Amino acid sequence: TAWVREAQARWTENPPTGVPCTQIGYDVAQGGDDRVAISRRYGSYYARIETHPGIDLPDSGANRDLILKTMTGGGVCWVDADGIGSQSYGLVRDLLGVQSFRVQAYRGSAPTKWRDTARVLTFSNTRAAAWWALREALDPTRPDKIQLPPSRDLRAELTAIRWEAQANGIKIEDKEKIIDRIGRSPDLADAVVMANWGGGAALAGLLGST
């Protein structure tokens, strides 16, 4: 909690001058009570999180259009594609053609070979690794201190997550348990986790591979 508070205390209203949008986290909602949450990252700076009621986005086409609009400012967009977001991701990827590297599918349930900074810890899936990567980014001993927008809801969601060490690596508790405990889906936190996943080198690495 202290790390999150410090990251929020460092935040300013505007992104650093000359730093482009590096990465975007897009947490999908489609109808229902959930909301779309969009986190834009500029290096170590995270802009205010943009939200849209799920009821305003009734199908994958509506999400496709919002993803494309979100991407006009640059950056690689990671779309939650583990469920209903898969079709929206596919629609955007197909429309982008040669620029399709700018949209990436975030599949939290997928296995991963990612390791922590010490190259010691393993993780049960991508979701656990991505959350741990944000935890490491928040560590105040890091030279590139991140800045998170001042939001009590975001702070509550980021600090609500519980984890445990298992034989197959670090495991993050199921989202249903988080919802039961805090009374809502951690959409804001998920968007920030995706905006961080892959790090600031995501765009450069993808461009270099084309």
Side-chain angles (χ1 to χ4, degrees):
T1 301
W3 291 4
V4 175
R5 288 186 183 277
E6 288 176 26
Q8 290 183 321
R10 288 191 289 267
W11 194 83
T12 57
E13 188 65 43
N14 299 311
T17 303
V19 178
C21 179
T22 311
Q23 200 157 299
I24 303 163
Y26 188 99
D27 191 53
V28 177
Q30 196 164 291
D33 297 328
D34 287 344
R35 57 189 169 175
V36 164
I38 303 168
S39 175
R40 293 179 177 85
R41 180 185 178 194
Y42 300 77
S44 59
Y45 175 94
Y46 294 73
R48 287 191 186 275
I49 299 173
E50 179 182 331
T51 60
H52 300 266
I55 197 169
D56 292 344
L57 298 150
D59 52 42
S60 56
N63 271 288
R64 171 203 60 201
D65 294 345
L66 183 55
I67 293 168
L68 289 169
K69 180 181 178 182
T70 298
M71 294 174 65
T72 57
V76 172
C77 184
W78 287 83
V79 178
D80 182 4
D82 234 359
I84 59 173
S86 176
Q87 188 171 3
S88 299
Y89 158 74
L91 291 172
V92 174
R93 180 198 59 201
D94 293 345
L95 279 175
L96 289 177
V98 295
Q99 291 285 313
S100 62
F101 63 85
R102 289 196 57 218
V103 64
Q104 297 291 309
Y106 174 86
R107 293 199 58 234
S109 63
T112 180
K113 295 181 180 180
W114 190 85
R115 298 290 185 270
D116 69 325
T117 302
R119 308 297 296 170
V120 172
L121 298 177
T122 59
F123 299 86
S124 62
N125 55 25
T126 296
R127 177 171 171 260
W131 272 90
W132 199 271
L134 182 64
R135 179 189 184 278
E136 290 193 335
L138 284 164
D139 189 330
T141 65
R142 290 176 61 102
D144 51 339
K145 300 183 185 338
I146 70 173
Q147 302 175 52
L148 293 178
S151 162
R152 181 178 296 178
D153 285 347
L154 173 61
R155 184 166 65 249
E157 292 176 16
L158 287 173
T159 57
I161 307 303
R162 297 175 181 174
W163 61 274
E164 61 179 325
Q166 297 187 336
N168 64 338
I170 299 294
K171 180 183 184 300
I172 300 294
E173 66 181 341
D174 294 338
K175 186 174 288 188
E176 288 73 18
K177 292 184 178 180
I178 302 167
I179 294 172
D180 287 344
R181 192 163 59 252
I182 70 175
R184 65 177 184 275
S185 178
D187 305 321
L188 305 179
D190 283 336
V192 170
V193 167
M194 284 187 284
N196 178 73
W197 181 235
L203 180 57
L206 289 165
L207 286 172
S209 66
T210 59

